[in-house]
Amino acid sequence: MKVSSEPVDKQALPSVVLICHEEDIVDSQGIAGWLAPEFSLSGIVFIWDDRAARLRRVYREYRRVGLWRLIDVLLFRVYYRLRWARADRRWLQRAVAVMRDKYSADISRQPRITVNNPNADEVREFVRKLQPDLLLARCKYILRPAIFTLPRYGSYVLHPGICPAYRNAHGCFWALVNRDLANVGMTLLKVDEGIDTGPVYLRASYAFDELRESHIRIQHRVVLENLDAIAAVFFALCRNAVQPQVVNSAYSVNWGQPWLTAYLRWRRRGKAARVIS
């Protein structure tokens, strides 16, 4: 990535609209709290997932992988809830508290709407009226062109996975399963009509501990540990001072939900690698 070294004009902060799931406190509180002082947070689109939306995602996964693999997926969710969920919830709360202390902005006054679908007409009208420079999508939905083409400099995602090798959900998890540790990270890319196929502007990681951290913690930290670099790219985009990275990959896979069998393979190989080293 080549980013211009021109100083940031704090008098002309880029305006940003955030789309995120309301129940995800890292985004709805942490990332929103970061955007408010670092940029001009124009508005927030909160997505409220009802039971029907969750069932639709389960059905889509069934269509993708079949019944037996879906059982593998559901077994992993049960295991995660028993093994990691409580500790991760405490960690997420602490991480958000740290962010709120560091970026002490009041986000309660920003314009906001709550919807079941970020592609709804009311979202399009909301974003159109705000006329933002950028849109940051932190959601489990594929945005339609009617939404992602509205911002002046485009819409972007902070994907938890290195693209193009690890597209779609849980890229960090699958890189760990594959022992592809160099590709455990995040990708800042521009939204297009594909699934994480847009131009790439940043790929970054951190010194993760695969045995002591869950995949959920890792996929959050690859973003939170790189907020300064992400902000630099956003400012550069609004000055037309950055070009997409040239990315080469021998493969590009649209990954899905974690499996219990894959998780156990990851942990077994990770422990073996730690013993050898």
Side-chain angles (χ1 to χ4, degrees), residues 70-210:
L70 177 63
I71 293 172
D72 204 354
V73 169
L74 296 177
L75 285 173
F76 175 75
R77 293 185 182 183
V78 173
Y79 175 85
Y80 173 81
R81 193 168 299 169
L82 295 173
R83 171 64 179 85
W84 289 103
R86 182 178 298 179
D88 279 356
R89 188 162 50 249
R90 290 196 297 265
W91 180 87
L92 290 170
Q93 290 169 346
R94 290 195 300 270
V96 169
V98 170
M99 292 182 71
R100 300 295 288 135
D101 285 340
K102 182 176 181 180
Y103 307 103
S104 54
D106 180 6
I107 60 174
S108 64
R109 298 184 180 182
Q110 266 77 19
R112 62 191 60 204
I113 57 172
T114 301
V115 297
N116 292 119
N117 186 343
N119 290 304
D121 289 342
E122 58 189 302
V123 175
R124 181 178 60 190
E125 185 62 17
F126 179 78
V127 176
R128 187 191 65 78
K129 286 184 177 179
L130 292 174
Q131 297 183 335
D133 294 314
L134 302 164
L135 185 148
L136 177 57
R138 296 280 292 168
C139 59
K140 301 171 184 176
Y141 290 78
I142 300 174
L143 296 182
R144 295 175 181 171
I147 304 296
F148 72 70
T149 58
L150 288 172
R152 185 174 293 106
Y153 297 104
S155 298
Y156 297 84
V157 297
L158 306 177
H159 174 68
I162 296 296
C163 293
Y166 293 92
R167 297 184 294 111
N168 203 0
H170 300 289
C172 292
F173 174 89
W174 290 108
L176 289 161
V177 169
N178 295 335
R179 308 305 302 156
D180 190 4
L181 302 186
N183 275 326
V184 177
M186 59 79 60
T187 306
L188 192 167
L189 53 85
K190 190 173 184 179
V191 177
D192 65 6
E193 295 189 55
I195 300 175
D196 301 321
T197 55
V200 170
Y201 288 90
L202 176 69
R203 294 187 291 186
S205 187
Y206 77 102
F208 57 88
D209 187 331
E210 63 172 314

Side-chain angles (χ1 to χ4, degrees), residues 2 12 67 105 107 147 188 242 254:
K2 185 177 181 182
L67 176 60
I107 60 174
I147 304 296
L188 192 167
V242 61
N254 184 9

Side-chain angles (χ1 to χ4, degrees), residues 24-42:
D24 189 332
I25 62 171
V26 170
D27 294 327
S28 62
Q29 299 178 35
I31 294 295
W34 165 67
L35 288 171
E38 294 295 296
F39 303 88
S40 174
L41 181 58
S42 299

Side-chain angles (χ1 to χ4, degrees), residues 202-220:
L202 176 69
R203 294 187 291 186
S205 187
Y206 77 102
F208 57 88
D209 187 331
E210 63 172 314
L211 296 185
R212 295 186 177 182
E213 297 182 287
S214 73
H215 70 292
I216 294 295
R217 192 177 305 189
I218 290 172
Q219 70 183 33
H220 279 302

